[in-house]
């Protein structure tokens, strides 16, 4: 079978997918054409995943199809955008029918679930590498940025951290898990859930937001740097999952939560003046974000505290830190 890009994209990726009415021209022409709602802006994100760099080569194809879309939708969620269209560039060592069928199924399932449509793509031959560009829509001027946090704002997390890092540590036999825990954390590593609905509901409420792809310490670090502020985090408030707390010490659980990344929860800040509106919003939401600290005026300082005492991240090379996802 030839590596004709339209053959592959058309055969595996566009059939049986849900179609959006705003796609004027989809796959099959030199470019896609879409219509935008009035007074809206486009948010565009791109993420690449390379075999043996961002994922192990034995990762199931269906998981890869899900995840390459999920990581992009997570970036859209952090911007408060509604996902609309994606394009896909895939480099494959060979045309493997079974692999492509499973990969396309994973990709289609998550696209259909979040109502976004594949509108173009390219396939080439080479070492396995996946790139998705996702396009989302926001009302003009309403995208949530990293740069809006102000001293006094409350810091929230959308859900528990550390499961993806725990799954990696278990796969590398650095920690032993029960079958049930292993299955649960591997699911979180392979099939992350981008916080799409929450991200959109934070428009006009959150002063800044980011998704946790590199670990809380690094990603909250991006917010304070972009905003020119500092942050104080109460570590006992950081949500940790049952598999994590039941499998490793509190010290290591916190380390995984802070540095391992790949969790795709949202970290965001809410000004005191909008806290009431926010509490009302989450009272009716299936996601229950948790307050983990407060923005300070100490520019560039990320202060971690456990039970009132300062807490330092272990040096790189100790504990789990070096088992975190390679970047
Ligand atoms: Mg991101």
């Amino acid at each position: 079978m030839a590596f004709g890009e339209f053959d592959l994209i058309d055969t595996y990726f566009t059939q049986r997918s849900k179609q959006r009415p705003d796609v004027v021209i989809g796959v099959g022409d030199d470019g896609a054409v879409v219509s935008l709602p009035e007074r809206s802006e486009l948010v565009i994100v791109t993420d690449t995943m390379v075999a043996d760099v961002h994922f192990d080569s034995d990762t199931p194809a269906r998981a890869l199809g899900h995840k390459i879309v999920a990581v992009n939708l997570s970036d859209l969620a952090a911007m408060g955008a509604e996902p609309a269209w994606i394009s896909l560039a895939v480099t494959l060592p060979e045309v493997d029918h079974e692999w492509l069928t499973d990969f396309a199924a994973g990709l289609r399932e998550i696209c259909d679930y979040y109502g976004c449509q594949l509108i173009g793509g390219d396939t080439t031959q080479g070492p396995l590498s996946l790139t998705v560009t996702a396009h989302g829509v926001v009302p003009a001027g309403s995208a949530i940025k990293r740069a809006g946090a102000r001293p006094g704002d409350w810091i929230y997390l959308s859900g528990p951290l550390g499961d993806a890092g725990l799954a990696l540590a278990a796969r590398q036999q650095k920690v032993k898990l029960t079958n049930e825990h292993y299955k649960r954390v591997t699911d979180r590593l392979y099939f992350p859930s981008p916080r799409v609905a929450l991200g959109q509901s934070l428009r006009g409420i959150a002063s800044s937001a980011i998704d946790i792809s590199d670990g809380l310490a690094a990603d909250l670090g991006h917010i304070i740097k972009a905003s020119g502020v500092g942050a104080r985090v109460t570590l006992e408030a950081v949500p940790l999952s049952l598999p994590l707390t039941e499998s490793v010490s509190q010290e290591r659980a916190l380390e995984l939560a802070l540095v391992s990344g790949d969790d795709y929860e949202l970290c965001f800040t809410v000004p005191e003046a909008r806290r009431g509106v926010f509490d009302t919003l989450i009272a009716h939401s299936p996601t229950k974000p948790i307050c983990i600290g407060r923005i300070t005026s100490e520019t560039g300082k990320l202060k971690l505290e456990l039970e009132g005492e300062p807490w330092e991240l272990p040096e790189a090379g100790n504990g789990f830190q070096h088992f975190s996802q390679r970047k």
Side-chain angles (χ1 to χ4, degrees):
M1 189 172 175
F3 250 81
E5 65 219 57
F6 294 124
D7 283 351
L8 281 182
I9 295 283
D10 219 15
T11 307
Y12 290 98
F13 296 103
T14 59
Q15 289 161 17
R16 292 184 292 126
S17 305
K18 281 190 197 152
Q19 306 291 304
R20 289 175 62 97
D22 52 12
V23 176
V24 182
I25 299 174
V27 172
D29 211 312
D30 290 304
V33 178
V34 297
S35 58
L36 272 170
E38 264 181 65
R39 284 185 284 281
S40 61
E41 287 170 347
L42 208 50
V43 178
I44 303 156
V45 301
T46 297
D47 237 309
T48 294
M49 292 178 6
V50 177
D52 299 318
V53 178
H54 302 99
F55 59 90
D56 292 329
S57 39
D58 64 349
T59 306
R62 193 170 146 256
L64 292 174
H66 173 97
K67 191 161 179 176
I68 188 59
V69 176
V71 300
N72 277 278
L73 298 192
S74 179
D75 279 330
L76 287 182
M79 303 292 295
E82 179 188 345
W85 315 285
I86 65 161
S87 47
L88 167 75
V90 47
T91 305
L92 299 168
E94 60 189 343
V95 177
D96 176 338
H97 174 73
E98 202 179 324
W99 190 95
L100 276 161
T101 302
D102 288 351
F103 176 77
L107 188 132
R108 187 173 52 243
E109 283 156 12
I110 185 170
C111 281
D112 286 354
Y113 184 78
Y114 289 107
C116 65
Q117 185 181 333
L118 180 80
I119 54 168
D122 190 16
T123 52
T124 49
Q125 192 162 19
L128 181 59
S129 167
L130 313 164
T131 297
V132 159
T133 296
H135 307 253
V137 177
V138 289
S142 71
I144 307 167
K145 296 173 286 256
R146 294 178 180 182
R150 295 293 170 261
D153 289 358
W154 299 93
I155 305 167
Y156 284 86
L157 268 180
S158 62
L161 301 180
D163 278 349
L166 184 62
L168 274 178
R171 286 174 58 79
Q172 293 163 8
Q173 275 146 26
K174 306 301 182 194
V175 61
K176 190 120 186 63
L177 302 182
T178 65
N179 287 344
E180 199 183 323
H181 286 346
Y182 182 78
K183 194 188 167 313
R184 188 159 151 190
V185 296
T186 304
D187 246 29
R188 289 261 292 167
L189 174 68
Y190 283 167
F191 296 95
S193 303
R195 301 300 175 203
V196 170
L198 176 68
Q200 289 170 65
S201 67
L202 292 175
R203 292 194 301 243
I205 294 176
S207 51
S208 71
I210 193 166
D211 67 319
I212 308 287
S213 54
D214 297 342
L216 176 64
D219 289 317
L220 181 54
H222 292 314
I223 283 188
I224 63 175
K225 188 168 175 224
S227 302
V229 294
R232 195 176 60 242
V233 172
T234 308
L235 290 175
E236 58 269 31
V238 171
L240 304 169
S241 72
L242 201 64
L244 197 56
T245 50
E246 286 190 350
S247 307
V248 297
S249 67
Q250 185 191 33
E251 185 88 351
R252 289 200 155 178
L254 283 173
E255 193 190 337
L256 280 169
L258 286 160
V259 304
S260 62
D262 239 12
D263 291 306
Y264 303 103
E265 295 295 344
L266 295 181
C267 175
F268 56 93
T269 55
V270 177
E272 173 69 25
R274 289 186 221 141
R275 223 182 171 196
V277 181
F278 175 67
D279 283 344
T280 310
L281 170 84
I282 59 172
H284 303 285
S285 151
T287 314
K288 300 287 178 219
I290 298 194
C291 185
I292 59 160
R294 216 155 179 192
I295 294 294
T296 67
S297 54
E298 288 180 273
T299 309
K301 284 240 163 37
L302 175 58
K303 279 196 176 156
L304 307 172
E305 284 174 5
L306 183 60
E307 325 267 331
E309 299 290 320
W311 194 84
E312 297 279 332
L313 273 173
E315 294 289 312
N318 290 339
F320 280 128
Q321 201 159 349
H322 60 298
F323 306 128
S324 62
Q325 189 81 292
R326 293 141 293 180
K327 296 209 173 67

